[in-house]
Amino acid sequence: MAKRYLSGIQPSGLLHLGNYFGAIRKHVQNQDDAFYFIANYHALTTVQDRDQLRRNTFDVAATYLACGLDPHRAVLYRQSDVPEVCELMWLLMTVTGAGLLEKGVSFKDKKARGIQASAGLLTYPVLQAADILAVDAQVVPVGSDQVQHIEFARDMAQSFNHLYGEVFVLPGFELGTPQPVPGIDGQKMSKSYGNHIPIFLHGKALKKRVMAIVTDSKGVEDSKDPTTCTVFQLYSLLASEAERQEMAERYRAGGYGYGHAKLALLEKIDAFFGPMRERREEYDRHPDLVEDVLADGAKRAREVARATTDRARAACGLA
Ligand code: ADP
Ligand code: TRP
């Protein structure tokens, strides 16, 4: 029996190459008996504009489908269509130390960047734990920034089980890439840092973005170190091993400028995401197709979440 995968992505902006290689690619590779959802409850901690939230939610769903998620294999749903997770969150809050949440990396990070810390932001990892535990997920494929949240979920499941018996399955994680995917400034790619390359950017806008990738100031003739170069790192995600080796040799040999490498990267992005972009555009013309998938996903996910929540209620004496 395949392990049960679950993961969520917040609808808080256009998805980018970091999201694709850090998360979505792995989701599409592990679809059987899997649950993937659009974390719109979580997004409310940062997106507080109704129309924007709706638009983004549709965009994430359509992007998943365009990237190859097959709704006959995996369950694709909107988090808010499974309100059981909020109920489960409360039960988990009662076994979670308040101090633990203050150590949450995303809470600390957002606070450090001056984003006002609501109680929602603080308790965000508990809702994430509820998402995971609600469907008895065994593996959560995410980028490295999310590892702490999965460990929190595991801790919460353990605490609850310790008190009330074996109610929850203990989840683990799998990383999409060993290192975070770098953005155009060399830092971790993130929509909140404004250094991202959206998956479906194309034409002039994509070219401008790729050309803006920061490199050192070595001239065309100089020998260059591929391992420290953002252009090479991004190219490596898209190229075959042979192509990667070839570019590394060109870097080292000299006579190959960053401009050349950027054009090679641009070509790869276009070739890789072009067909997905066309499918994505198809969903703009037929939004009902996406809605139908989400409605069906909601039904299937909710059934599982209801059963787990009932199990937890009974275990702690609510039933
Ligand atoms: P962002 O940082 O742009 O807001 P999210 O936090 O919404 O991205 O991330 C959604 C998923 O994509 C998570 O699983 C996260 O770990 C993964 N992810 C995001 N950025 C990167 C990156 N630069 N490298 C690898 N994975 C990433
Ligand atoms: N916090 C995750 C992120 O920002 C999104 C998320 C919400 C999630 N619930 C989840 C990821 C459950 C994995 C499992 O990327």
Side-chain angles (χ1 to χ4, degrees):
M1 183 73 178
K3 286 201 171 165
R4 175 165 291 176
Y5 280 71
L6 164 133
S7 196
I9 288 203
Q10 288 195 67
S12 48
L14 290 183
L15 297 177
H16 51 73
L17 299 194
N19 299 135
Y20 183 81
F21 291 105
I24 300 173
R25 179 176 57 174
K26 199 146 192 134
H27 303 170
V28 172
Q29 285 165 353
N30 294 283
Q31 298 205 39
D32 293 313
D33 192 34
F35 290 75
Y36 297 114
F37 67 95
I38 303 124
N40 55 351
Y41 279 143
H42 278 109
L44 279 178
T45 58
T46 50
V47 182
Q48 296 179 324
D49 174 307
R50 176 172 49 236
D51 295 331
Q52 198 190 339
L53 187 63
R54 280 209 199 105
R55 251 197 329 272
N56 289 353
T57 303
F58 175 84
D59 181 67
V60 175
T63 298
Y64 259 105
L65 294 171
C67 290
L69 198 95
D70 176 354
H72 298 292
R73 293 170 64 199
V75 182
L76 180 67
Y77 59 104
R78 252 184 309 244
Q79 185 183 32
S80 61
D81 286 339
V82 184
E84 279 74 10
V85 292
C86 291
E87 185 180 353
L88 200 50
M89 177 189 182
W90 176 255
L91 303 187
L92 295 172
M93 291 243 251
T94 63
V95 299
T96 306
L100 182 87
L101 298 180
E102 277 162 13
K103 290 193 207 120
V105 281
S106 67
F107 174 71
K108 284 202 303 199
D109 174 57
K110 284 183 179 137
K111 234 180 118 180
R113 284 189 283 128
I115 298 172
Q116 214 205 338
S118 63
L121 202 54
L122 180 67
T123 52
Y124 177 115
V126 195
L127 181 58
Q128 183 158 349
D131 294 327
I132 297 167
L133 304 180
V135 306
D136 298 327
Q138 293 164 291
V139 185
V140 187
V142 282
S144 47
D145 58 307
Q146 291 297 315
V147 168
Q148 187 199 46
H149 288 161
I150 316 309
E151 284 166 348
F152 280 2
R154 202 180 162 86
D155 287 351
M156 291 172 208
Q158 248 162 347
S159 302
F160 195 96
N161 286 356
H162 184 70
L163 273 170
Y164 300 119
E166 294 301 305
V167 173
F168 297 120
V169 172
L170 302 189
F173 62 86
E174 270 177 24
L175 296 180
T177 52
Q179 304 295 330
V181 175
I184 62 168
D185 60 356
Q187 305 299 306
K188 171 197 174 257
M189 187 179 289
S190 170
K191 53 200 166 241
S192 38
Y193 302 160
N195 64 357
H196 57 303
I197 302 178
I199 296 177
F200 297 133
L201 200 65
H202 64 108
K204 275 194 191 139
L206 175 63
K207 184 165 184 187
K208 202 167 151 206
R209 205 83 185 131
V210 170
M211 290 301 167
I213 296 173
V214 178
T215 59
D216 62 27
S217 54
K218 291 212 166 97
V220 175
E221 294 312 322
D222 297 328
S223 162
K224 304 174 181 67
D225 180 2
T227 58
T228 56
C229 177
T230 305
V231 183
F232 182 76
Q233 282 163 15
L234 292 172
Y235 182 79
S236 298
L237 293 166
L238 291 149
S240 68
E241 187 49 33
E243 289 167 329
R244 211 179 90 85
Q245 296 281 352
E246 195 185 321
M247 187 182 272
E249 274 160 32
R250 288 191 166 155
Y251 263 68
R252 294 198 177 96
Y256 187 73
Y258 290 121
H260 298 122
K262 286 177 181 179
L263 287 177
L265 170 62
L266 180 65
E267 222 170 82
K268 279 282 173 217
I269 296 177
D270 223 21
F272 189 84
F273 291 108
M276 297 181 200
R277 188 169 67 230
E278 279 169 28
R279 283 201 293 273
R280 171 70 191 82
E281 284 162 7
E282 195 60 30
Y283 291 118
D284 275 335
R285 289 190 285 276
H286 303 285
D288 289 357
L289 294 176
V290 178
E291 272 311 315
D292 289 350
V293 167
L294 292 177
D296 179 58
K299 235 174 38 207
R300 290 156 72 196
R302 197 164 184 194
E303 211 170 284
V304 182
R306 188 67 252 162
T308 314
T309 308
D310 285 345
R311 204 161 74 223
R313 285 171 66 98
C316 60
L318 292 174

